[in-house]
Amino acid sequence: MTAPREPDGRVGPAPDLTPFRPRWAPVVGVVLSILVLAGVVLLFVFVQPNAATRLGIGDYLLVVVVAGLLLGILWRQSSVSATPTPRGLAVRNLMGTTRLEWAQIVSVRFSPDRAWAQLDLADGDQLAVMAIQSADGERARHAAARLAALVQHYGTALDA
């Protein structure tokens, strides 16, 4: 008797397709965002114009623009993720989102000396998966193992 086939044609039970997200990056992002906003408010409230500090509208706009850029970076860092589907993996990192088919992923590498998991791709490139961060400890090791299981399950050609 053979193992049952899944709806996608694979043998055996389908692995967990829950998205990968870091535990601490969103917490740090929220705390730092609050500090940036508080700093801007404190600057606007407590820096009073005098002979030494003459702030014009351009100065205030510059502060708002810099604070906005910082908040954007913190938001992006807080929202890193890797979303698996039966067709592939969408990796959202700080600088962009990359969509991969499972067959493009050769292996998953992760160890305590790495900041985050890394994918080895069929074209020889590597892609960081910032959603699996070593700062998350054992949780990250389990996530890397689950991602490797997904690559193993979906990345190979279907049996005829």
mmCIF file of all heavy atoms in Angstrom, residues 81-133:
data_model
loop_
_atom_site.group_PDB
_atom_site.id
_atom_site.type_symbol
_atom_site.label_atom_id
_atom_site.label_comp_id
_atom_site.label_asym_id
_atom_site.label_seq_id
_atom_site.Cartn_x
_atom_site.Cartn_y
_atom_site.Cartn_z
ATOM 1 N N SER A 81 9.053 38.982 6.365
ATOM 2 C CA SER A 81 8.346 37.707 6.454
ATOM 3 C C SER A 81 8.762 36.813 5.298
ATOM 4 O O SER A 81 9.393 37.258 4.342
ATOM 5 C CB SER A 81 6.829 37.921 6.419
ATOM 6 O OG SER A 81 6.447 38.448 5.164
ATOM 7 N N ALA A 82 8.401 35.571 5.409
ATOM 8 C CA ALA A 82 8.544 34.612 4.311
ATOM 9 C C ALA A 82 7.231 33.836 4.279
ATOM 10 O O ALA A 82 6.864 33.178 5.255
ATOM 11 C CB ALA A 82 9.729 33.690 4.530
ATOM 12 N N THR A 83 6.531 33.937 3.162
ATOM 13 C CA THR A 83 5.202 33.340 3.055
ATOM 14 C C THR A 83 5.224 32.183 2.070
ATOM 15 O O THR A 83 5.340 32.397 0.861
ATOM 16 C CB THR A 83 4.180 34.404 2.606
ATOM 17 O OG1 THR A 83 4.264 35.529 3.489
ATOM 18 C CG2 THR A 83 2.771 33.842 2.619
ATOM 19 N N PRO A 84 5.113 30.952 2.588
ATOM 20 C CA PRO A 84 5.093 29.796 1.696
ATOM 21 C C PRO A 84 3.692 29.500 1.170
ATOM 22 O O PRO A 84 2.685 29.748 1.843
ATOM 23 C CB PRO A 84 5.584 28.658 2.597
ATOM 24 C CG PRO A 84 5.176 29.075 3.974
ATOM 25 C CD PRO A 84 5.173 30.579 3.987
ATOM 26 N N THR A 85 3.652 29.011 -0.057
ATOM 27 C CA THR A 85 2.429 28.497 -0.670
ATOM 28 C C THR A 85 2.818 27.190 -1.353
ATOM 29 O O THR A 85 4.003 26.896 -1.492
ATOM 30 C CB THR A 85 1.862 29.477 -1.722
ATOM 31 O OG1 THR A 85 2.770 29.552 -2.821
ATOM 32 C CG2 THR A 85 1.622 30.863 -1.133
ATOM 33 N N PRO A 86 1.867 26.415 -1.810
ATOM 34 C CA PRO A 86 2.233 25.203 -2.545
ATOM 35 C C PRO A 86 3.039 25.496 -3.819
ATOM 36 O O PRO A 86 3.773 24.647 -4.300
ATOM 37 C CB PRO A 86 0.891 24.570 -2.884
ATOM 38 C CG PRO A 86 -0.026 25.034 -1.803
ATOM 39 C CD PRO A 86 0.426 26.448 -1.518
ATOM 40 N N ARG A 87 2.947 26.706 -4.349
ATOM 41 C CA ARG A 87 3.664 27.054 -5.592
ATOM 42 C C ARG A 87 5.065 27.599 -5.344
ATOM 43 O O ARG A 87 5.914 27.525 -6.219
ATOM 44 C CB ARG A 87 2.862 28.076 -6.373
ATOM 45 C CG ARG A 87 1.469 27.567 -6.705
ATOM 46 C CD ARG A 87 0.778 28.464 -7.619
ATOM 47 N NE ARG A 87 1.178 28.041 -8.974
ATOM 48 C CZ ARG A 87 0.927 28.718 -10.056
ATOM 49 N NH1 ARG A 87 0.304 29.860 -9.982
ATOM 50 N NH2 ARG A 87 1.303 28.261 -11.228
ATOM 51 N N GLY A 88 5.302 28.228 -4.174
ATOM 52 C CA GLY A 88 6.602 28.829 -3.945
ATOM 53 C C GLY A 88 6.675 29.598 -2.638
ATOM 54 O O GLY A 88 5.853 29.415 -1.746
ATOM 55 N N LEU A 89 7.674 30.476 -2.576
ATOM 56 C CA LEU A 89 7.959 31.215 -1.355
ATOM 57 C C LEU A 89 8.133 32.690 -1.694
ATOM 58 O O LEU A 89 8.885 33.037 -2.605
ATOM 59 C CB LEU A 89 9.247 30.678 -0.722
ATOM 60 C CG LEU A 89 9.707 31.291 0.592
ATOM 61 C CD1 LEU A 89 8.741 30.908 1.720
ATOM 62 C CD2 LEU A 89 11.114 30.810 0.932
ATOM 63 N N ALA A 90 7.428 33.559 -0.967
ATOM 64 C CA ALA A 90 7.598 35.007 -1.113
ATOM 65 C C ALA A 90 8.397 35.487 0.093
ATOM 66 O O ALA A 90 7.950 35.356 1.233
ATOM 67 C CB ALA A 90 6.253 35.707 -1.173
ATOM 68 N N VAL A 91 9.597 36.015 -0.153
ATOM 69 C CA VAL A 91 10.487 36.470 0.908
ATOM 70 C C VAL A 91 10.472 37.995 0.929
ATOM 71 O O VAL A 91 10.911 38.634 -0.023
ATOM 72 C CB VAL A 91 11.928 35.950 0.695
ATOM 73 C CG1 VAL A 91 12.842 36.448 1.804
ATOM 74 C CG2 VAL A 91 11.943 34.437 0.620
ATOM 75 N N ARG A 92 9.943 38.565 1.991
ATOM 76 C CA ARG A 92 9.900 40.025 2.157
ATOM 77 C C ARG A 92 11.014 40.426 3.112
ATOM 78 O O ARG A 92 10.937 40.172 4.312
ATOM 79 C CB ARG A 92 8.548 40.447 2.705
ATOM 80 C CG ARG A 92 8.432 41.943 2.921
ATOM 81 C CD ARG A 92 7.101 42.270 3.579
ATOM 82 N NE ARG A 92 7.058 43.658 3.990
ATOM 83 C CZ ARG A 92 6.360 44.593 3.360
ATOM 84 N NH1 ARG A 92 5.637 44.279 2.316
ATOM 85 N NH2 ARG A 92 6.374 45.827 3.801
ATOM 86 N N ASN A 93 12.066 41.047 2.582
ATOM 87 C CA ASN A 93 13.185 41.520 3.370
ATOM 88 C C ASN A 93 13.137 43.039 3.455
ATOM 89 O O ASN A 93 12.223 43.674 2.939
ATOM 90 C CB ASN A 93 14.514 41.053 2.765
ATOM 91 C CG ASN A 93 14.773 39.580 3.040
ATOM 92 O OD1 ASN A 93 14.257 39.023 3.995
ATOM 93 N ND2 ASN A 93 15.550 38.955 2.199
ATOM 94 N N LEU A 94 14.141 43.615 4.054
ATOM 95 C CA LEU A 94 14.188 45.061 4.256
ATOM 96 C C LEU A 94 14.132 45.828 2.938
ATOM 97 O O LEU A 94 13.422 46.813 2.816
ATOM 98 C CB LEU A 94 15.460 45.433 5.024
ATOM 99 C CG LEU A 94 15.633 46.901 5.388
ATOM 100 C CD1 LEU A 94 14.501 47.377 6.283
ATOM 101 C CD2 LEU A 94 16.970 47.123 6.063
ATOM 102 N N MET A 95 14.848 45.373 1.929
ATOM 103 C CA MET A 95 14.968 46.141 0.690
ATOM 104 C C MET A 95 14.037 45.694 -0.430
ATOM 105 O O MET A 95 14.049 46.289 -1.496
ATOM 106 C CB MET A 95 16.415 46.098 0.192
ATOM 107 C CG MET A 95 17.398 46.759 1.139
ATOM 108 S SD MET A 95 16.985 48.446 1.576
ATOM 109 C CE MET A 95 17.282 49.262 0.038
ATOM 110 N N GLY A 96 13.267 44.659 -0.238
ATOM 111 C CA GLY A 96 12.370 44.239 -1.306
ATOM 112 C C GLY A 96 11.747 42.883 -1.037
ATOM 113 O O GLY A 96 12.069 42.214 -0.059
ATOM 114 N N THR A 97 10.881 42.498 -1.953
ATOM 115 C CA THR A 97 10.213 41.197 -1.869
ATOM 116 C C THR A 97 10.618 40.365 -3.071
ATOM 117 O O THR A 97 10.591 40.849 -4.203
ATOM 118 C CB THR A 97 8.685 41.381 -1.844
ATOM 119 O OG1 THR A 97 8.338 42.180 -0.713
ATOM 120 C CG2 THR A 97 7.961 40.042 -1.753
ATOM 121 N N THR A 98 11.009 39.131 -2.811
ATOM 122 C CA THR A 98 11.408 38.208 -3.868
ATOM 123 C C THR A 98 10.464 37.018 -3.854
ATOM 124 O O THR A 98 10.241 36.419 -2.807
ATOM 125 C CB THR A 98 12.858 37.719 -3.645
ATOM 126 O OG1 THR A 98 13.722 38.849 -3.545
ATOM 127 C CG2 THR A 98 13.306 36.817 -4.768
ATOM 128 N N ARG A 99 9.925 36.690 -5.014
ATOM 129 C CA ARG A 99 9.048 35.527 -5.135
ATOM 130 C C ARG A 99 9.817 34.423 -5.850
ATOM 131 O O ARG A 99 10.362 34.638 -6.928
ATOM 132 C CB ARG A 99 7.794 35.891 -5.907
ATOM 133 C CG ARG A 99 6.898 36.847 -5.145
ATOM 134 C CD ARG A 99 5.664 37.197 -5.892
ATOM 135 N NE ARG A 99 4.732 38.169 -5.411
ATOM 136 C CZ ARG A 99 4.714 38.870 -4.307
ATOM 137 N NH1 ARG A 99 5.650 38.721 -3.454
ATOM 138 N NH2 ARG A 99 3.782 39.737 -4.011
ATOM 139 N N LEU A 100 9.829 33.249 -5.231
ATOM 140 C CA LEU A 100 10.561 32.110 -5.769
ATOM 141 C C LEU A 100 9.623 30.926 -5.926
ATOM 142 O O LEU A 100 8.707 30.737 -5.118
ATOM 143 C CB LEU A 100 11.688 31.695 -4.814
ATOM 144 C CG LEU A 100 12.748 32.740 -4.481
ATOM 145 C CD1 LEU A 100 13.562 32.292 -3.286
ATOM 146 C CD2 LEU A 100 13.636 32.969 -5.688
ATOM 147 N N GLU A 101 9.875 30.134 -6.952
ATOM 148 C CA GLU A 101 9.221 28.826 -7.050
ATOM 149 C C GLU A 101 10.072 27.849 -6.252
ATOM 150 O O GLU A 101 11.284 28.040 -6.114
ATOM 151 C CB GLU A 101 9.107 28.401 -8.509
ATOM 152 C CG GLU A 101 8.164 29.277 -9.303
ATOM 153 C CD GLU A 101 8.004 28.809 -10.743
ATOM 154 O OE1 GLU A 101 8.401 27.667 -11.045
ATOM 155 O OE2 GLU A 101 7.495 29.597 -11.546
ATOM 156 N N TRP A 102 9.447 26.814 -5.741
ATOM 157 C CA TRP A 102 10.184 25.863 -4.904
ATOM 158 C C TRP A 102 11.368 25.253 -5.633
ATOM 159 O O TRP A 102 12.418 25.022 -5.038
ATOM 160 C CB TRP A 102 9.249 24.772 -4.380
ATOM 161 C CG TRP A 102 8.282 25.275 -3.368
ATOM 162 C CD1 TRP A 102 6.934 25.363 -3.500
ATOM 163 C CD2 TRP A 102 8.584 25.807 -2.074
ATOM 164 N NE1 TRP A 102 6.376 25.905 -2.362
ATOM 165 C CE2 TRP A 102 7.361 26.182 -1.472
ATOM 166 C CE3 TRP A 102 9.765 25.992 -1.352
ATOM 167 C CZ2 TRP A 102 7.295 26.727 -0.190
ATOM 168 C CZ3 TRP A 102 9.688 26.542 -0.084
ATOM 169 C CH2 TRP A 102 8.480 26.902 0.481
ATOM 170 N N ALA A 103 11.221 25.000 -6.920
ATOM 171 C CA ALA A 103 12.309 24.372 -7.684
ATOM 172 C C ALA A 103 13.539 25.272 -7.771
ATOM 173 O O ALA A 103 14.638 24.790 -8.032
ATOM 174 C CB ALA A 103 11.822 24.013 -9.083
ATOM 175 N N GLN A 104 13.388 26.573 -7.535
ATOM 176 C CA GLN A 104 14.523 27.493 -7.577
ATOM 177 C C GLN A 104 15.387 27.405 -6.324
ATOM 178 O O GLN A 104 16.518 27.883 -6.316
ATOM 179 C CB GLN A 104 14.038 28.940 -7.733
ATOM 180 C CG GLN A 104 13.387 29.236 -9.061
ATOM 181 C CD GLN A 104 12.860 30.655 -9.076
ATOM 182 O OE1 GLN A 104 11.722 30.907 -8.712
ATOM 183 N NE2 GLN A 104 13.697 31.585 -9.495
ATOM 184 N N ILE A 105 14.853 26.825 -5.259
ATOM 185 C CA ILE A 105 15.563 26.773 -3.977
ATOM 186 C C ILE A 105 16.267 25.424 -3.851
ATOM 187 O O ILE A 105 15.636 24.377 -3.879
ATOM 188 C CB ILE A 105 14.591 26.978 -2.800
ATOM 189 C CG1 ILE A 105 13.824 28.286 -2.971
ATOM 190 C CG2 ILE A 105 15.349 26.951 -1.480
ATOM 191 C CD1 ILE A 105 12.689 28.470 -1.991
ATOM 192 N N VAL A 106 17.592 25.480 -3.709
ATOM 193 C CA VAL A 106 18.391 24.260 -3.589
ATOM 194 C C VAL A 106 18.457 23.807 -2.137
ATOM 195 O O VAL A 106 18.279 22.630 -1.831
ATOM 196 C CB VAL A 106 19.815 24.485 -4.150
ATOM 197 C CG1 VAL A 106 20.698 23.284 -3.915
ATOM 198 C CG2 VAL A 106 19.755 24.850 -5.619
ATOM 199 N N SER A 107 18.739 24.749 -1.217
ATOM 200 C CA SER A 107 18.863 24.376 0.189
ATOM 201 C C SER A 107 18.648 25.581 1.089
ATOM 202 O O SER A 107 18.656 26.724 0.638
ATOM 203 C CB SER A 107 20.244 23.764 0.469
ATOM 204 O OG SER A 107 21.260 24.741 0.259
ATOM 205 N N VAL A 108 18.475 25.272 2.373
ATOM 206 C CA VAL A 108 18.324 26.294 3.410
ATOM 207 C C VAL A 108 19.503 26.144 4.358
ATOM 208 O O VAL A 108 19.801 25.045 4.812
ATOM 209 C CB VAL A 108 17.007 26.091 4.204
ATOM 210 C CG1 VAL A 108 16.878 27.108 5.325
ATOM 211 C CG2 VAL A 108 15.814 26.135 3.275
ATOM 212 N N ARG A 109 20.182 27.268 4.627
ATOM 213 C CA ARG A 109 21.296 27.240 5.576
ATOM 214 C C ARG A 109 20.978 28.150 6.751
ATOM 215 O O ARG A 109 20.523 29.264 6.567
ATOM 216 C CB ARG A 109 22.599 27.703 4.910
ATOM 217 C CG ARG A 109 23.126 26.663 3.944
ATOM 218 C CD ARG A 109 24.517 26.975 3.472
ATOM 219 N NE ARG A 109 24.479 28.116 2.564
ATOM 220 C CZ ARG A 109 25.440 29.024 2.483
ATOM 221 N NH1 ARG A 109 26.488 28.961 3.259
ATOM 222 N NH2 ARG A 109 25.343 30.019 1.615
ATOM 223 N N PHE A 110 21.228 27.620 7.954
ATOM 224 C CA PHE A 110 21.026 28.410 9.161
ATOM 225 C C PHE A 110 21.887 27.830 10.269
ATOM 226 O O PHE A 110 21.940 26.626 10.462
ATOM 227 C CB PHE A 110 19.554 28.382 9.588
ATOM 228 C CG PHE A 110 19.263 29.241 10.782
ATOM 229 C CD1 PHE A 110 19.276 30.623 10.676
ATOM 230 C CD2 PHE A 110 18.997 28.675 12.009
ATOM 231 C CE1 PHE A 110 19.013 31.422 11.769
ATOM 232 C CE2 PHE A 110 18.734 29.465 13.106
ATOM 233 C CZ PHE A 110 18.738 30.844 12.995
ATOM 234 N N SER A 111 22.566 28.700 10.976
ATOM 235 C CA SER A 111 23.370 28.290 12.123
ATOM 236 C C SER A 111 23.441 29.456 13.093
ATOM 237 O O SER A 111 23.138 30.597 12.722
ATOM 238 C CB SER A 111 24.769 27.853 11.674
ATOM 239 O OG SER A 111 25.446 28.930 11.060
ATOM 240 N N PRO A 112 23.838 29.196 14.336
ATOM 241 C CA PRO A 112 23.873 30.273 15.338
ATOM 242 C C PRO A 112 24.798 31.444 14.968
ATOM 243 O O PRO A 112 24.601 32.554 15.444
ATOM 244 C CB PRO A 112 24.383 29.574 16.596
ATOM 245 C CG PRO A 112 24.049 28.139 16.401
ATOM 246 C CD PRO A 112 24.134 27.894 14.928
ATOM 247 N N ASP A 113 25.784 31.205 14.112
ATOM 248 C CA ASP A 113 26.698 32.286 13.744
ATOM 249 C C ASP A 113 26.162 33.138 12.585
ATOM 250 O O ASP A 113 26.806 34.095 12.176
ATOM 251 C CB ASP A 113 28.082 31.731 13.406
ATOM 252 C CG ASP A 113 28.064 30.771 12.227
ATOM 253 O OD1 ASP A 113 27.050 30.073 12.064
ATOM 254 O OD2 ASP A 113 29.054 30.730 11.479
ATOM 255 N N ARG A 114 24.992 32.828 12.066
ATOM 256 C CA ARG A 114 24.367 33.627 11.011
ATOM 257 C C ARG A 114 23.293 34.518 11.622
ATOM 258 O O ARG A 114 22.580 34.106 12.527
ATOM 259 C CB ARG A 114 23.700 32.730 9.970
ATOM 260 C CG ARG A 114 24.645 31.873 9.185
ATOM 261 C CD ARG A 114 23.862 31.053 8.153
ATOM 262 N NE ARG A 114 24.741 30.163 7.453
ATOM 263 C CZ ARG A 114 25.466 30.508 6.399
ATOM 264 N NH1 ARG A 114 25.398 31.729 5.936
ATOM 265 N NH2 ARG A 114 26.260 29.644 5.814
ATOM 266 N N ALA A 115 23.148 35.714 11.078
ATOM 267 C CA ALA A 115 22.112 36.629 11.579
ATOM 268 C C ALA A 115 20.721 36.113 11.221
ATOM 269 O O ALA A 115 19.781 36.283 11.982
ATOM 270 C CB ALA A 115 22.325 38.026 11.010
ATOM 271 N N TRP A 116 20.601 35.486 10.036
ATOM 272 C CA TRP A 116 19.310 34.960 9.598
ATOM 273 C C TRP A 116 19.534 33.794 8.645
ATOM 274 O O TRP A 116 20.653 33.519 8.218
ATOM 275 C CB TRP A 116 18.449 36.031 8.937
ATOM 276 C CG TRP A 116 19.198 36.974 8.055
ATOM 277 C CD1 TRP A 116 19.723 36.704 6.827
ATOM 278 C CD2 TRP A 116 19.563 38.320 8.334
ATOM 279 N NE1 TRP A 116 20.358 37.805 6.329
ATOM 280 C CE2 TRP A 116 20.279 38.819 7.245
ATOM 281 C CE3 TRP A 116 19.325 39.167 9.414
ATOM 282 C CZ2 TRP A 116 20.772 40.114 7.194
ATOM 283 C CZ3 TRP A 116 19.821 40.454 9.360
ATOM 284 C CH2 TRP A 116 20.527 40.907 8.265
ATOM 285 N N ALA A 117 18.459 33.119 8.318
ATOM 286 C CA ALA A 117 18.540 31.973 7.411
ATOM 287 C C ALA A 117 18.916 32.449 6.011
ATOM 288 O O ALA A 117 18.680 33.598 5.640
ATOM 289 C CB ALA A 117 17.215 31.231 7.384
ATOM 290 N N GLN A 118 19.477 31.537 5.246
ATOM 291 C CA GLN A 118 19.893 31.876 3.892
ATOM 292 C C GLN A 118 19.467 30.751 2.950
ATOM 293 O O GLN A 118 19.585 29.571 3.272
ATOM 294 C CB GLN A 118 21.408 32.026 3.856
ATOM 295 C CG GLN A 118 21.921 32.752 2.669
ATOM 296 C CD GLN A 118 23.373 33.179 2.893
ATOM 297 O OE1 GLN A 118 24.100 32.561 3.651
ATOM 298 N NE2 GLN A 118 23.768 34.230 2.223
ATOM 299 N N LEU A 119 18.959 31.149 1.783
ATOM 300 C CA LEU A 119 18.571 30.183 0.759
ATOM 301 C C LEU A 119 19.661 30.118 -0.296
ATOM 302 O O LEU A 119 20.150 31.151 -0.755
ATOM 303 C CB LEU A 119 17.259 30.607 0.092
ATOM 304 C CG LEU A 119 16.032 30.750 0.976
ATOM 305 C CD1 LEU A 119 14.854 31.247 0.148
ATOM 306 C CD2 LEU A 119 15.703 29.453 1.669
ATOM 307 N N ASP A 120 20.040 28.913 -0.676
ATOM 308 C CA ASP A 120 20.915 28.713 -1.837
ATOM 309 C C ASP A 120 19.993 28.458 -3.022
ATOM 310 O O ASP A 120 19.144 27.561 -2.976
ATOM 311 C CB ASP A 120 21.843 27.520 -1.624
ATOM 312 C CG ASP A 120 22.872 27.790 -0.542
ATOM 313 O OD1 ASP A 120 23.376 28.931 -0.476
ATOM 314 O OD2 ASP A 120 23.171 26.869 0.241
ATOM 315 N N LEU A 121 20.165 29.249 -4.069
ATOM 316 C CA LEU A 121 19.274 29.160 -5.223
ATOM 317 C C LEU A 121 19.924 28.406 -6.369
ATOM 318 O O LEU A 121 21.157 28.319 -6.462
ATOM 319 C CB LEU A 121 18.867 30.567 -5.676
ATOM 320 C CG LEU A 121 18.231 31.437 -4.583
ATOM 321 C CD1 LEU A 121 17.899 32.815 -5.134
ATOM 322 C CD2 LEU A 121 17.008 30.770 -3.994
ATOM 323 N N ALA A 122 19.102 27.871 -7.252
ATOM 324 C CA ALA A 122 19.579 27.049 -8.369
ATOM 325 C C ALA A 122 20.498 27.827 -9.305
ATOM 326 O O ALA A 122 21.373 27.237 -9.937
ATOM 327 C CB ALA A 122 18.386 26.479 -9.145
ATOM 328 N N ASP A 123 20.340 29.150 -9.392
ATOM 329 C CA ASP A 123 21.186 29.938 -10.290
ATOM 330 C C ASP A 123 22.515 30.334 -9.649
ATOM 331 O O ASP A 123 23.285 31.095 -10.220
ATOM 332 C CB ASP A 123 20.448 31.179 -10.791
ATOM 333 C CG ASP A 123 20.083 32.154 -9.680
ATOM 334 O OD1 ASP A 123 20.457 31.914 -8.502
ATOM 335 O OD2 ASP A 123 19.421 33.163 -9.982
ATOM 336 N N GLY A 124 22.803 29.832 -8.450
ATOM 337 C CA GLY A 124 24.062 30.112 -7.770
ATOM 338 C C GLY A 124 23.991 31.280 -6.800
ATOM 339 O O GLY A 124 24.918 31.512 -6.037
ATOM 340 N N ASP A 125 22.907 32.033 -6.825
ATOM 341 C CA ASP A 125 22.741 33.155 -5.901
ATOM 342 C C ASP A 125 22.339 32.656 -4.517
ATOM 343 O O ASP A 125 21.964 31.497 -4.333
ATOM 344 C CB ASP A 125 21.668 34.120 -6.408
ATOM 345 C CG ASP A 125 22.151 35.008 -7.534
ATOM 346 O OD1 ASP A 125 23.375 35.105 -7.734
ATOM 347 O OD2 ASP A 125 21.293 35.601 -8.226
ATOM 348 N N GLN A 126 22.407 33.569 -3.570
ATOM 349 C CA GLN A 126 21.932 33.310 -2.219
ATOM 350 C C GLN A 126 20.944 34.400 -1.860
ATOM 351 O O GLN A 126 21.053 35.531 -2.333
ATOM 352 C CB GLN A 126 23.090 33.313 -1.226
ATOM 353 C CG GLN A 126 24.089 32.212 -1.497
ATOM 354 C CD GLN A 126 25.302 32.328 -0.589
ATOM 355 O OE1 GLN A 126 25.577 33.374 -0.026
ATOM 356 N NE2 GLN A 126 26.026 31.237 -0.464
ATOM 357 N N LEU A 127 19.981 34.069 -1.030
ATOM 358 C CA LEU A 127 18.975 35.026 -0.599
ATOM 359 C C LEU A 127 18.789 34.896 0.903
ATOM 360 O O LEU A 127 18.510 33.803 1.415
ATOM 361 C CB LEU A 127 17.644 34.770 -1.316
ATOM 362 C CG LEU A 127 16.486 35.674 -0.924
ATOM 363 C CD1 LEU A 127 16.758 37.128 -1.345
ATOM 364 C CD2 LEU A 127 15.183 35.182 -1.532
ATOM 365 N N ALA A 128 18.947 36.016 1.607
ATOM 366 C CA ALA A 128 18.705 36.028 3.042
ATOM 367 C C ALA A 128 17.206 35.956 3.310
ATOM 368 O O ALA A 128 16.410 36.529 2.581
ATOM 369 C CB ALA A 128 19.282 37.298 3.653
ATOM 370 N N VAL A 129 16.852 35.244 4.355
ATOM 371 C CA VAL A 129 15.465 35.178 4.810
ATOM 372 C C VAL A 129 15.451 35.830 6.193
ATOM 373 O O VAL A 129 15.649 35.172 7.209
ATOM 374 C CB VAL A 129 14.931 33.732 4.868
ATOM 375 C CG1 VAL A 129 13.479 33.702 5.324
ATOM 376 C CG2 VAL A 129 15.081 33.054 3.525
ATOM 377 N N MET A 130 15.252 37.149 6.202
ATOM 378 C CA MET A 130 15.338 37.912 7.447
ATOM 379 C C MET A 130 14.212 37.567 8.419
ATOM 380 O O MET A 130 14.267 37.943 9.587
ATOM 381 C CB MET A 130 15.356 39.405 7.131
ATOM 382 C CG MET A 130 16.580 39.817 6.336
ATOM 383 S SD MET A 130 16.562 41.543 5.827
ATOM 384 C CE MET A 130 16.997 42.324 7.377
ATOM 385 N N ALA A 131 13.217 36.844 7.965
ATOM 386 C CA ALA A 131 12.111 36.438 8.837
ATOM 387 C C ALA A 131 12.534 35.349 9.820
ATOM 388 O O ALA A 131 11.866 35.139 10.832
ATOM 389 C CB ALA A 131 10.942 35.947 7.997
ATOM 390 N N ILE A 132 13.637 34.670 9.525
ATOM 391 C CA ILE A 132 14.154 33.636 10.430
ATOM 392 C C ILE A 132 15.472 34.166 10.973
ATOM 393 O O ILE A 132 16.504 34.063 10.323
ATOM 394 C CB ILE A 132 14.331 32.289 9.696
ATOM 395 C CG1 ILE A 132 13.000 31.822 9.107
ATOM 396 C CG2 ILE A 132 14.885 31.241 10.652
ATOM 397 C CD1 ILE A 132 13.104 30.576 8.258
ATOM 398 N N GLN A 133 15.416 34.779 12.175
ATOM 399 C CA GLN A 133 16.553 35.473 12.761
ATOM 400 C C GLN A 133 17.125 34.703 13.933
ATOM 401 O O GLN A 133 16.381 34.195 14.771
ATOM 402 C CB GLN A 133 16.134 36.869 13.222
ATOM 403 C CG GLN A 133 15.604 37.712 12.095
ATOM 404 C CD GLN A 133 15.199 39.100 12.540
ATOM 405 O OE1 GLN A 133 15.269 39.457 13.711
ATOM 406 N NE2 GLN A 133 14.763 39.905 11.582
#
